[in-house]
């Protein structure tokens, strides 16, 4: 079974060319951070409530996507809330993303194709080998959005993270997005970490907006 960060990156993958849909960098960083935390929560290593995120078992999972974050949280002085850790991990999301892509290649889900761009720069793409893995993720999520069935806990997480980083605005037409907005909000309320990812993205966007257009 794939980890949440791997499914998020597959959801971001363009079906046709192996590129990734264009969403703000900080949104992807926050989504990957939330994905790691959700995997740690499902592994019973951390617990969250509206006020704090705490380590309940510091034993390494044995997964190089999760263990560095678990160690960082376990060694921190004092307790912090979920939003703090999302923003903290998001600042270190680069290595997480690179390892996710490496693992997807190792799994045989993606392969690497290096292309020269303007004969000088190289652009690295990750086309799906057979298209099954990313379609499976997307089909699952579309079934959640366009039905009234109670979603699987894993799919709740993916919906929350995808909404937080704006993936649905790229995957769905405007009419489709309007149709499922209420459903997304309904699902989003089912997961604390997903809500905190959304809030973290909103906080960063607000901060950037104020930096570019300071209040008079």
């Amino acid at each position: 079974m794939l980890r949440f960060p791997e499914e998020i990156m597959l959801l971001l993958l363009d079906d046709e060319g192996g590129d990734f849909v264009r969403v703000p960098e900080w949104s992807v960083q926050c989504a990957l951070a939330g994905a790691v935390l959700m995997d740690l929560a499902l592994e019973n290593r951390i617990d969250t409530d509206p006020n704090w995120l705490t380590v309940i078992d510091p034993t390494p999972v044995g997964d190089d996507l999760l263990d560095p974050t678990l160690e960082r949280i376990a060694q921190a002085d004092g307790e912090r809330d979920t939003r703090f850790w999302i923003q903290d991990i998001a600042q270190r999301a680069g290595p997480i993303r690179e390892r996710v892509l490496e693992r997807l290649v190792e799994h045989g889900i993606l392969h690497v194709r290096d292309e020269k761009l303007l004969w000088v720069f190289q652009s690295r793409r990750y086309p799906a080998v057979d298209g099954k893995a990313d379609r499976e993720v997307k089909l699952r999520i579309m079934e959640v959005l366009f039905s009234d069935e109670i979603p699987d806990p894993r799919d709740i997480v993916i919906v929350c993270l995808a909404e937080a980083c704006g993936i649905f605005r790229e995957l769905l037409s405007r009419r489709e997005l309007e149709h499922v907005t209420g459903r997304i909000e309904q699902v989003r309320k089912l997961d604390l970490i997903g809500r905190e990812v959304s809030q973290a993205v909103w906080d960063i966007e607000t901060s950037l907006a104020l930096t570019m257009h300071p209040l008079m």
Side-chain angles (χ1 to χ4, degrees):
M1 181 180 294
L2 297 179
R3 294 292 187 183
F4 287 127
E6 293 169 313
E7 292 203 304
I8 284 294
M9 292 308 298
L10 286 176
L11 203 58
L12 283 165
L13 187 67
D14 179 13
D15 289 327
E16 297 181 357
D19 288 316
F20 293 96
V21 297
R22 295 182 179 275
V23 296
E25 179 67 17
W26 62 85
S27 298
V28 178
Q29 292 168 350
C30 288
L32 287 173
V36 170
L37 292 178
M38 278 306 311
D39 268 317
L40 286 173
L42 290 184
E43 291 286 349
N44 296 315
R45 295 307 195 271
I46 63 172
D47 192 18
T48 61
D49 61 35
N51 296 315
W52 306 112
L53 184 151
T54 57
V55 174
I56 56 178
D57 182 0
T59 306
V61 176
D63 189 310
D64 59 4
L65 273 181
L66 309 182
D67 288 340
T69 296
L70 176 61
E71 181 180 9
R72 182 174 180 82
I73 298 173
Q75 293 180 351
D77 294 330
E79 293 186 329
R80 303 287 192 277
D81 62 14
T82 301
R83 194 180 310 173
F84 170 89
W85 284 115
I86 289 170
Q87 293 177 329
D88 179 85
I89 300 163
Q91 295 176 24
R92 298 164 178 80
I96 295 174
R97 174 164 41 192
E98 290 303 312
R99 183 60 188 134
V100 165
L101 295 176
E102 289 172 357
R103 284 168 52 137
L104 290 172
V105 172
E106 291 168 4
H107 293 328
I109 296 172
L110 305 181
H111 70 265
V112 179
R113 183 174 71 231
D114 286 326
E115 299 177 337
K116 286 189 175 181
L117 183 62
L118 301 178
W119 301 101
V120 177
F121 304 103
Q122 286 192 331
S123 174
R124 175 161 291 180
R125 297 183 178 186
Y126 295 83
V129 173
D130 56 16
K132 291 182 180 178
D134 61 319
R135 279 205 304 270
E136 192 266 344
V137 175
K138 291 175 184 175
L139 285 174
R140 274 177 26 224
I141 300 310
M142 292 304 109
E143 288 174 0
V144 170
L145 297 186
F146 289 93
S147 75
D148 295 325
E149 296 183 4
I150 298 175
D152 180 88
R154 292 190 61 84
D155 293 340
I156 291 173
V157 172
I158 296 298
V159 169
C160 291
L161 297 175
E163 167 63 11
C165 68
I167 294 176
F168 293 134
R169 291 195 293 272
E170 301 297 330
L171 294 182
L172 301 174
S173 68
R174 180 178 298 181
R175 177 175 295 181
E176 289 172 330
L177 189 58
E178 290 175 353
H179 179 74
V180 300
T181 295
R183 174 64 168 168
I184 291 173
E185 183 61 23
Q186 180 187 51
V187 174
R188 201 170 65 85
K189 291 178 180 179
L190 300 175
D191 178 58
L192 173 62
I193 291 180
R195 293 200 303 271
E196 291 298 326
V197 171
S198 298
Q199 187 61 47
V201 171
W202 188 88
D203 288 346
I204 293 170
E205 290 177 342
T206 301
S207 177
L208 289 173
L210 290 175
T211 299
M212 296 175 62
H213 305 287
L215 297 175
M216 302 299 292

